[in-house]
Amino acid sequence: MRPLIKTEDLEVTYNLGKSNEFLALRDVNIEIYKGEYIVLFGTSGSGKSTLMNCILGSLPNSAGRILVKDRDIYNVSPEETVRYQRSTVGIMFQTFNLIPSVSVLDNVSLPQLFSGVSPAKREAKAQELLDRFGVGHVSHKLPTNLSGGQQQRVSVARSLVNDPEILLADEPVGNLDSRSASQVMNTVGEINIRDGVTVILVTHDAKHLPYAHRVYYLEDGRIVREVPNPEKKQIKKTKDASIVTEIERLARLFPYVSVEDLRVKSLVNYVTQNANFDQVTVLENALYRYIHGSLSNEDLKEIISARISEGGVGMDKRQATEMIKKISSIIENSNDVTRFRRGVLKTPLHYQHKFVQRIRGHLLELYNGELPEGLLKELDGLIISRLNGVIRRDAFEEALSRSPSKKGIGINKKTAFAMTEYFEKMITQGAAFEKVSH
Ligand code: ADP
Ligand code: MG
């Protein structure tokens, strides 16, 4: 299956060659498949509208390519661009963009002007769409006499009148009260599911994430991660569709935070059992600085063992030492996960194998005993499968404790749990600078 939309190292620069030149998008590589509902998510200024306008064909890229149905949309005749904008894509804006001086019905039927359809048919189709979206009874009015929610439903009708394959919606409910907003959001969702239109929604509101098959997160003009919605059956085939890591789960719980902050949360969760909210907050801040190298082991120990009233975490020295040992071992050992992952694409697997053996060694530090050579090989196989996302966490844990006569490793349940937990933490820390899923 080929993607409907694909960008290759896409870059968009505003004011190219001028003193105020601004690189608004860089290294953007996305693939969108027919029938998907995609959310472009990010804070204000992250480049969402820029990417949307580029897909719309109205903002040429400065490097890379953008292909729609395998055609470079900025490398075609002007007629073809017009045809693309008129019939392949439909667009909705936050500000509705209706023509104030003509009726609602005309607003919706006008885009068909060049389609060769008779006026009567055009109006009939416009009326039908307005009826469908619950604004048929105001079709003779001027847009300004309608509520915001009604105006946006008119603009939904207008965007669909030429039967587009792709609906682009840039913060379509940003100006609406919450009731109208959810009506419009449901309408857009229905257009995706019932009409099979591919939807690309730009939003900074985490409430809208559940509508999507996949979410692309933007930060400073880059795609920083891509998260499939586990609640939805995926259309895009991913190489290791079964990978469900802790970081993906955290990403759904905390959609606004960066991958680095998720790493911190994962560590805090590992080393705190009964800490209260204040202690957790202090610890998160301290670990953030520790990970970034601005806090030494000693400084960290001091913060962890200082009294809560003095801005510390309030643990005793022995607990603090234990905690730091755990954290630094995870961070240190996760380097082997990172190295394994980096090398996988470039190096033959047998060279990579030394990292697998090292990871195995880290896990076996939690195991009091010796495993025979044959079981060590089995364990390596499990480690590789988990790293590649071929098996999930629970399958890994189950195989560790299953008996060797049933192709398991035969480790007791408690140790199997501890080893799995430790491994998952290593995987999360090792995921720091890569895309969260793929
Ligand atoms: P978003 O939609 O995520 O809020 P935009 O795509 O609108 O972000 O903008 C991304 C960045 O590009 C911002 O820093 C913005 O100031 C800049 N930008 C947007 N439009 C222009 C323009 N026409 N000229 C120069 N810079 C622009
Ligand atoms: Mg915007």
Side-chain angles (χ1 to χ4, degrees):
M1 189 174 48
R2 302 190 59 80
L4 184 58
I5 301 170
K6 180 179 167 69
T7 69
E8 295 171 352
D9 299 324
L10 189 74
E11 193 180 287
V12 172
T13 310
Y14 288 112
N15 307 314
L16 190 64
K18 303 203 184 111
S19 61
N20 58 347
E21 182 173 303
F22 182 74
L23 184 56
L25 283 182
R26 66 190 96 179
D27 304 327
V28 172
N29 290 289
I30 62 173
E31 284 184 355
I32 296 173
Y33 288 82
K34 190 172 167 45
E36 279 195 300
Y37 189 133
I38 296 293
V39 164
L40 304 177
F41 187 74
T43 52
S44 169
S46 55
K48 305 180 298 293
S49 295
T50 302
L51 181 52
M52 185 70 103
N53 288 325
C54 195
I55 297 172
L56 178 62
S58 59
L59 179 61
N61 49 316
S62 46
R65 290 205 302 170
I66 171 159
L67 307 172
V68 178
K69 297 203 261 186
D70 292 323
R71 305 271 290 173
D72 180 341
I73 58 171
Y74 290 101
N75 208 354
V76 294
S77 66
E79 295 77 30
E80 209 164 322
T81 303
V82 171
R83 204 174 321 128
Y84 169 72
Q85 293 180 334
R86 196 189 299 141
S87 50
T88 307
V89 290
I91 177 111
M92 290 169 69
F93 299 98
Q94 181 171 0
T95 49
F96 321 136
N97 288 26
L98 299 171
I99 306 168
S101 56
V102 307
S103 73
V104 160
L105 187 68
D106 285 345
N107 263 283
V108 177
S109 69
L110 278 175
Q112 308 169 86
L113 259 188
F114 304 96
S115 60
V117 179
S118 73
K121 279 198 171 147
R122 291 201 306 255
E123 289 199 357
K125 178 151 189 202
Q127 185 63 45
E128 189 186 308
L129 281 165
L130 288 166
D131 289 341
R132 173 176 168 191
F133 299 123
V135 280
H137 60 295
V138 290
S139 63
H140 59 282
K141 291 192 175 175
L142 291 177
T144 42
N145 294 327
L146 271 54
S147 72
Q150 286 177 320
Q151 288 189 53
Q152 196 57 303
R153 280 184 275 153
V154 172
S155 97
V156 173
R158 180 191 54 186
S159 69
L160 292 185
V161 78
N162 286 329
D163 301 314
E165 290 169 67
I166 304 165
L167 175 62
L168 303 174
D170 192 345
E171 313 255 13
V173 301
N175 279 346
L176 302 181
D177 62 88
S178 64
R179 208 180 115 88
S180 311
S182 69
Q183 280 173 349
V184 169
M185 286 302 298
N186 288 338
T187 302
V188 172
E190 184 198 295
I191 290 164
N192 170 248
I193 292 167
R194 206 177 100 185
D195 304 4
V197 173
T198 305
V199 170
I200 306 177
L201 176 87
V202 160
T203 185
H204 65 270
D205 188 342
K207 271 205 307 293
H208 303 148
L209 298 179
Y211 286 96
H213 288 95
R214 285 186 296 127
V215 181
Y216 283 113
Y217 289 74
L218 280 95
E219 255 174 52
D220 295 332
R222 289 178 213 267
I223 304 286
V224 291
R225 46 195 165 112
E226 176 197 340
V227 179
N229 182 351
E231 311 298 326
K232 280 203 157 191
K233 186 168 160 32
Q234 292 298 309
I235 293 172
K236 181 192 177 201
K237 301 263 181 300
T238 45
K239 249 193 282 144
D240 31 32
S242 73
I243 194 159
V244 178
T245 60
E246 179 186 39
I247 211 151
E248 281 176 357
R249 269 189 294 122
L250 286 171
R252 294 196 59 76
L253 287 174
F254 305 101
Y256 286 104
V257 311
S258 69
V259 175
E260 285 184 305
D261 290 340
L262 296 179
R263 288 176 66 203
V264 169
K265 285 189 188 301
S266 162
L267 284 175
V268 168
N269 165 268
Y270 190 53
V271 295
T272 54
Q273 290 92 23
N274 301 313
N276 69 28
F277 183 73
D278 287 339
Q279 289 171 296
V280 166
T281 307
V282 172
L283 191 59
E284 279 190 355
N285 289 334
L287 281 182
Y288 189 84
R289 287 159 63 205
Y290 182 71
I291 284 183
H292 284 79
S294 66
L295 212 59
S296 69
N297 272 358
E298 278 312 302
D299 295 339
L300 181 61
K301 194 189 294 181
E302 224 170 283
I303 293 176
I304 294 174
S305 55
R307 282 200 219 128
I308 299 173
S309 60
E310 286 157 6
V313 183
M315 300 191 153
D316 65 40
K317 282 240 157 45
R318 193 189 49 80
Q319 282 177 305
T321 310
E322 258 319 280
M323 191 180 261
I324 290 167
K325 222 172 84 189
K326 253 177 144 174
I327 287 169
S328 53
S329 109
I330 292 269
I331 292 175
E332 175 78 30
N333 293 339
S334 72
N335 286 331
D336 289 322
V337 171
T338 311
R339 290 191 204 119
F340 173 84
R341 290 214 161 136
R342 281 216 186 107
V344 160
L345 297 175
K346 295 175 248 163
T347 344
L349 203 59
H350 60 274
Y351 289 121
Q352 282 308 111
H353 210 76
K354 64 169 182 279
F355 297 120
V356 175
Q357 288 177 347
R358 289 171 60 117
I359 292 167
R360 180 230 286 165
H362 304 318
L363 298 183
L364 288 178
E365 278 178 31
L366 299 169
Y367 177 69
N368 288 323
E370 292 270 324
L371 289 178
E373 192 61 33
L375 288 183
L376 291 179
K377 283 223 172 70
E378 289 287 327
L379 182 51
D380 288 350
L382 286 174
I383 291 170
I384 292 173
S385 299
R386 180 61 191 137
L387 286 173
N388 290 330
V390 177
I391 57 172
R392 286 169 189 258
R393 176 200 164 117
D394 43 359
F396 181 84
E397 185 178 338
E398 195 272 324
L400 288 187
S401 61
R402 208 185 315 137
S403 101
S405 65
K406 290 181 186 147
K407 290 194 144 299
I409 311 291
I411 291 174
N412 73 54
K413 281 217 159 90
K414 202 172 154 216
T415 309
F417 174 80
M419 280 170 67
T420 305
E421 180 81 348
Y422 191 83
F423 190 25
E424 292 299 310
K425 293 294 161 184
M426 276 169 60
I427 292 172
T428 299
Q429 294 307 311
F433 300 110
E434 15 178 68
K435 265 195 267 181
V436 165
S437 77
H438 231 289

